[in-house]
Amino acid sequence: MKILVVATWYPHEENPTEAPFNAEHVEAVRGRGHDVRVVHVRLGTTLAMPRPASGLWEGTPVRRVAADPKRPASVLAASRTLAKEMAWADVVHTMAFSSILVTMFPWAVRTLTGRSAAWVHTEHWNGVVNPSSVSPAWEKLSRVRAVLRLPHVVTGVTGQLTREMQRFARPHAAMVVPCVVKARGAVVPAPFGTPLRLAAVGGLIGRKRPLEAVRTIGWLRDHGTKAHLTWVGEGPLRTECEALIAELGLENQVTLTGSVRPADVAGHLSRADLFFLPTAQENFFTSAAEALAAGRAVVATRVGGFSDYANATNSRLVDEVTPESLGRAVLDARDAFKDVPAEDIAGPVLERFSPEAVGELFDRAYTTALARA
């Protein structure tokens, strides 16, 4: 099939870590033998357009266009570009909620003229399942989720997200297509020595709860367990985290690495015994899935759709966010998984979320959309 991917977030030379999950989904689709093009619509950005504006990204043709609502001419130009690309495609595949908004008008014009393509939409954003976790403004505007009724098929990366999307979508339109998860290196045994080594991957932001993670390390120390936390990621709470670390005397037990290259994250996971992140809201929770793919059990809060794959066989999820409950979950995970081979933890995740498995699910979505178009 000819698949036109429209994404408002996509990796580029200036920011190769922008929405890598979209590029991985594209890779999975291409792996099924489809002819794929990407239009990357930079929506409302004040930044310069990525260069080059057209070219290949990991083997896929990508065309980058600007669409700034403050400059209506740019929005019109983007719509014209999308309309021309739609004339080529068998299936239009939007990725990320805002991509629906830039696609709906050119797609509607083509539909009115009897030339519409089948439309599949893929969603990752927690703002769809939990608007209040984004901002009060989005919570008030969240009725705009009604545009999810436009695509013939909508896919979410978790069961929780898919169930929420089905409230707004066409009848029986929603299905689960998870993120791609790949091994980032050899799966090696966890050391489980002293100190107990924990790794977190995420921004130093309120939603990721880094302060609660630091307090948990203090609780473990105060209750006789030497533990070290390496937090991989940067954010506005760094200063507050550093102050709390100093206040609790944990300078030698908590390391804030700041931002690191994606290739270096795997090394931090391999050196850890467990993945630990008391997040407040997630959908797929890619960093946790990648930790499991590295053979590391997960300790986290039960707050999102990642319970699709994080369960008692590979994780400990808690409901109460206190240093004691989190600390006890860490100790429980240590005792439960220290003798479990890393390959046994990694294998099911790598099989379930492989590019081949995800690509097959997208094939089903495309076939269904074509039948309904």
Side-chain angles (χ1 to χ4, degrees):
M1 302 179 200
K2 297 176 182 177
I3 311 297
L4 175 66
V5 172
V6 182
T8 44
W9 298 89
Y10 207 78
H12 51 90
E13 291 295 340
E14 290 85 350
N15 186 4
T17 63
E18 180 177 294
F21 40 80
N22 285 338
E24 288 164 350
H25 272 167
V26 167
E27 177 189 350
V29 171
R30 289 182 63 223
R32 301 291 291 180
H34 301 301
D35 189 358
V36 184
R37 298 180 186 176
V38 176
V39 177
H40 174 197
V41 181
R42 294 292 296 271
L43 182 63
T45 181
T46 58
L47 302 175
M49 283 293 294
R51 292 289 182 259
S54 296
L56 295 179
W57 184 267
E58 298 180 347
T60 302
V62 179
R63 185 173 184 177
R64 306 184 194 272
V65 299
D68 185 349
K70 295 180 180 179
R71 295 184 296 120
S74 72
V75 177
L76 181 60
S79 293
R80 289 172 176 165
T81 297
L82 290 175
K84 291 178 182 178
E85 294 286 356
M86 286 180 193
W88 165 84
D90 298 313
V91 178
V92 175
H93 188 165
T94 50
M95 297 184 179
F97 184 80
S98 54
S99 65
I100 298 179
L101 303 180
V102 301
T103 301
M104 58 191 291
F105 294 111
W107 184 82
V109 170
R110 292 191 59 81
T111 299
L112 291 172
T113 57
R115 299 174 296 158
S116 67
W119 186 353
V120 172
H121 175 69
T122 290
E123 193 56 67
H124 308 79
W125 188 38
N126 64 288
V128 171
V129 70
N130 187 3
S132 64
S133 70
V134 176
S135 69
W138 171 243
E139 187 173 14
K140 293 178 181 178
L141 294 171
S142 61
R143 289 184 181 180
V144 77
R145 289 178 293 174
V147 298
L148 287 165
R149 192 169 182 85
L150 294 175
H152 298 99
V153 174
V154 295
T155 77
V157 293
T158 69
Q160 180 191 54
L161 176 55
T162 302
R163 289 188 295 272
E164 184 66 13
M165 293 170 72
Q166 185 57 69
R167 292 179 53 221
F168 304 94
R170 301 176 189 229
H172 311 295
M175 59 182 290
V176 177
V177 181
C179 292
V180 171
V181 179
K182 297 182 288 187
R184 302 297 183 182
V187 178
V188 300
F192 280 107
T194 301
L196 181 67
R197 296 198 172 274
L198 310 177
V201 180
L204 292 171
I205 59 176
R207 183 166 58 85
K208 299 293 183 179
R209 292 176 171 155
L211 298 172
E212 287 83 348
V214 171
R215 293 188 181 99
T216 300
I217 299 302
W219 185 91
L220 288 167
R221 177 200 59 192
D222 296 343
H223 290 77
T225 298
K226 293 182 179 179
H228 184 277
L229 171 65
T230 298
W231 188 290
V232 181
E234 190 56 87
L237 289 184
R238 169 177 276 274
T239 300
E240 195 170 345
C241 287
E242 290 174 337
L244 181 60
I245 290 167
E247 177 187 337
L248 298 179
L250 297 174
E251 292 89 345
N252 295 324
Q253 293 177 257
V254 179
T255 300
L256 307 179
T257 70
S259 298
V260 305
R261 295 180 302 173
D264 294 335
V265 173
H268 288 290
L269 293 174
S270 294
R271 290 188 291 273
D273 301 309
L274 300 168
F275 178 89
F276 170 56
L277 204 158
T279 180
Q281 174 65 41
E282 300 290 338
N283 276 323
F284 186 76
F285 204 2
T286 300
S287 59
E290 291 183 343
L292 292 173
R296 299 302 179 260
V298 167
V299 179
T301 34
R302 198 188 316 272
V303 292
F306 58 92
S307 56
D308 282 0
Y309 62 83
N311 53 52
T313 67
N314 57 26
S315 304
R316 290 295 181 266
L317 305 181
V318 302
D319 299 300
E320 185 181 2
V321 185
T322 65
E324 179 178 357
S325 62
L326 293 167
R328 292 192 184 282
V330 168
L331 296 177
D332 186 14
R334 176 199 62 186
D335 295 341
F337 300 113
K338 65 182 178 181
D339 296 321
V340 177
E343 294 84 355
D344 290 359
I345 294 174
V349 169
L350 291 172
E351 180 179 358
R352 180 176 177 181
F353 302 139
S354 69
E356 295 78 15
V358 171
E360 184 177 350
L361 290 172
F362 276 133
D363 268 358
R364 296 178 190 174
Y366 296 153
T367 301
T368 301
L370 285 164
R372 294 176 177 175

